[in-house]
Amino acid sequence: MSKFIIKGGETLSGEVNISSAKNAVLPIIAATILSGDKCVIENCPMLLDVFVITDLLKTLGAKINIDLLENKLEIDTSYVKCTDIDSELVRKMRGSFFIAGPMISRFGKVKMALPGGCNIGTRPVDLHLKGFKALGVNINIDHGFVEASTSKLLGSKIYLDFPSVGATENIIMASVLAEGETIIENAAEEPEVADLSNFLNKMGANISGIGTDRITIKGVKKLKGVTYRPIYDRIEVGTFMIAAVISKSLIKINGINEEHIKPIIAKLAEMGVCMEKYDNSLIVDGRRKLKPVDIKTMPYPGFPTDMQPQIMALLCCVDGTSVITETIFENRFMHVPEMTRMGANIKIDGRSAIIHGGTEFTGCSVKATDLRAGAALILLALAAEGETEVTDIYHVDRGYVSIEKKLQNLGADIKRM
């Protein structure tokens, strides 16, 4: 089992290049099923989750070519026929459920196990299934499997009880080939939803209202294969922003869309961090004294839940008391016991974490309980005295491309063992 060994106290400097967004790429890969043609994804992040979903497509009959040197993924779905999805692969990753919408749209049926993924809280697929049913799909759930079938998909008006990113994306993919018009109200507004919609429109779909909470999809007869470059990973950007601040360093981050990281910029600025924007790059100066802040995670354009553990690591290092309220996932404080092992003073009260910052941190052995928790522990290790061992880093590899190499290039003392 791999682990990271990190010696804290190093000052970072230089530049880091951001990869494409994992949360944009996964639904885009699933959406290639809709074309029945060859698609090329450029600047594809070669992550564990990407390999899992491409393996899923292979079991369905897709031809996959992965170019690790060029970070290019070629997917030919013209041979896809099987609609019974491999259960073991589905249980490895929640994003595997993105296959459902495209399979229903193209073949009118799919059977698959309920998905797995990080254990950060209840993330039911109820809203996905509600959307499918509205489009005329018959749903049967039995012994942990979902079986969906329809003779014809018909456009419908769908209101989501919560602006779920996954449900919004799956319903969009299910409806692009449906007869008539589909309207999704209270849709998720995340940039990754917009990126999927832009990809589908390039394939020939007719989607409007992109980036808003009311998305309209007019069904088309057929989609074609295209070449596409997904958006940069805003969560990776935020993680490296905090790496600069927590290590009291100045670094340049290449590959940003300022609009996508506004809530992160706003909170760091409130803390006293100095940042300068240049084209698609951001210079982050973390050498100033910082102030504590209160944070509440919210759906986009609010502060992202995927950045909550990382900013908690930073707030642990800031003198004073901060409060983080988690509104998205009820189990997203699983990293707190690991942080307290390193010296953090954090109290949990329901969905809020009260952080008494400014304590001394010492390295020890800690466990990555999920993807973003792993990133947060790496960040805290950069500020800790001595050596920190982060285990179960397969979680981290699901969402960050060679995070240790990028940190090494900035001057961090981190090794994969």
Side-chain angles (χ1 to χ4, degrees):
M1 188 74 71
S2 295
K3 60 186 176 183
F4 288 135
I5 304 295
I6 305 150
K7 291 182 181 176
E10 299 294 333
T11 300
L12 308 184
S13 63
E15 303 182 20
V16 61
N17 296 323
I18 299 301
S19 303
S20 290
K22 175 194 84 124
N23 290 338
V25 167
L26 295 182
I28 285 172
I29 292 172
T32 62
I33 292 170
L34 292 162
S35 71
D37 202 349
K38 182 179 176 181
C39 291
V40 179
I41 301 172
E42 297 179 331
N43 195 35
C44 182
M46 297 304 171
L47 297 163
L48 189 57
D49 278 9
V50 168
F51 298 137
V52 170
I53 200 165
T54 52
D55 282 347
L56 254 179
L57 263 64
K58 285 180 187 176
T59 66
L60 301 177
K63 306 296 182 185
I64 309 283
N65 181 48
I66 299 173
D67 187 336
L68 295 174
L69 290 177
E70 296 291 328
N71 292 324
K72 189 162 64 174
L73 183 62
E74 296 178 355
I75 306 171
D76 185 348
T77 60
S78 57
Y79 301 98
V80 171
K81 287 188 174 64
C82 175
T83 56
D84 198 344
I85 315 296
D86 185 281
S87 302
E88 188 177 337
L89 288 170
V90 169
R91 291 192 181 101
K92 281 185 178 181
M93 182 186 70
R94 181 170 181 79
S96 59
F97 204 70
F98 285 130
I99 300 290
M103 293 298 286
I104 292 168
S105 187
R106 181 172 164 189
F107 298 104
K109 62 179 180 178
V110 70
K111 181 182 180 182
M112 62 191 300
L114 291 168
C118 283
N119 185 26
I120 57 175
T122 304
R123 297 189 288 177
V125 294
D126 297 15
L127 293 178
H128 302 240
L129 301 181
K130 175 184 175 181
F132 295 161
K133 286 178 182 177
L135 296 171
V137 180
N138 298 310
I139 303 289
N140 181 48
I141 301 175
D142 188 38
H143 292 89
F145 282 83
V146 177
E147 195 164 1
S149 62
T150 182
S151 56
K152 181 189 283 189
L153 287 165
L154 297 172
S156 180
K157 194 168 186 178
I158 301 164
Y159 179 85
L160 295 178
D161 299 325
F162 178 83
S164 161
V165 173
T168 301
E169 291 173 331
N170 232 339
I171 296 166
I172 289 171
M173 290 188 284
S175 60
V176 288
L177 298 177
E179 187 178 303
E181 181 179 90
T182 300
I183 297 173
I184 307 172
E185 294 189 309
N186 198 31
E189 300 177 49
E190 270 74 359
E192 294 79 15
V193 177
D195 204 36
L196 171 65
S197 299
N198 289 331
F199 173 69
L200 291 168
N201 276 351
K202 190 172 183 182
M203 292 170 75
N206 186 346
I207 305 170
S208 57
I210 295 173
T212 74
D213 66 353
R214 191 176 192 271
I215 298 173
T216 301
I217 306 106
K218 293 181 179 177
V220 298
K221 296 291 185 185
K222 185 171 173 55
L223 299 179
K224 65 180 187 296
V226 295
T227 297
Y228 194 78
R229 189 181 182 93
I231 58 173
Y232 293 115
D233 193 327
R234 61 193 171 104
I235 305 304
E236 187 185 16
V237 173
T239 301
F240 278 97
M241 290 169 73
I242 289 179
V245 181
I246 205 167
S247 63
K248 297 180 170 58
S249 306
L250 184 148
I251 69 170
K252 184 180 181 185
I253 303 170
N254 301 318
I256 71 152
N257 183 319
E258 186 178 7
E259 192 67 28
H260 297 171
I261 57 171
K262 270 186 175 180
I264 305 169
I265 289 175
K267 279 300 172 184
L268 290 182
E270 186 181 338
M271 293 175 69
V273 178
C274 182
M275 292 161 280
E276 291 184 58
K277 170 85 164 50
Y278 296 94
D279 297 324
N280 72 333
S281 297
L282 185 72
I283 293 176
V284 182
D285 187 347
R287 298 172 296 183
R288 295 183 177 186
K289 184 171 176 60
L290 303 180
K291 299 176 291 186
V293 294
D294 293 343
I295 289 169
K296 186 176 185 179
T297 64
M298 297 287 286
Y300 188 87
F303 192 90
T305 181
D306 278 355
M307 279 301 301
Q308 179 257 103
Q310 298 93 307
I311 203 158
M312 183 183 287
L314 175 59
L315 291 171
C316 286
C317 302
V318 178
D319 289 335
T321 301
S322 303
V323 178
I324 295 179
T325 302
E326 173 60 57
T327 72
I328 310 297
F329 296 125
E330 71 274 13
N331 271 357
R332 198 146 213 179
F333 289 142
M334 293 174 67
H335 48 279
V336 170
E338 303 302 305
M339 289 183 173
T340 57
R341 287 169 58 82
M342 298 177 69
N345 185 353
I346 307 167
K347 307 296 181 191
I348 303 299
D349 183 8
R351 286 209 166 191
S352 293
I354 298 96
I355 303 145
H356 301 286
T359 57
E360 295 295 320
F361 296 92
T362 53
C364 63
S365 180
V366 290
K367 177 182 176 181
T369 53
D370 60 72
L371 166 54
R372 306 305 173 184
L377 293 171
I378 292 168
L379 293 171
L380 196 55
L382 296 176
E385 182 181 329
E387 187 174 275
T388 301
E389 176 186 272
V390 182
T391 64
D392 286 17
I393 61 172
Y394 63 90
H395 287 299
V396 180
D397 291 336
R398 288 185 47 239
Y400 292 92
V401 177
S402 304
I403 191 170
E404 79 280 12
K405 291 179 182 177
K406 291 184 178 183
L407 285 169
Q408 285 167 3
N409 290 338
L410 293 171
D413 190 339
I414 176 172
K415 296 173 184 174
R416 180 186 292 262
M417 306 293 285

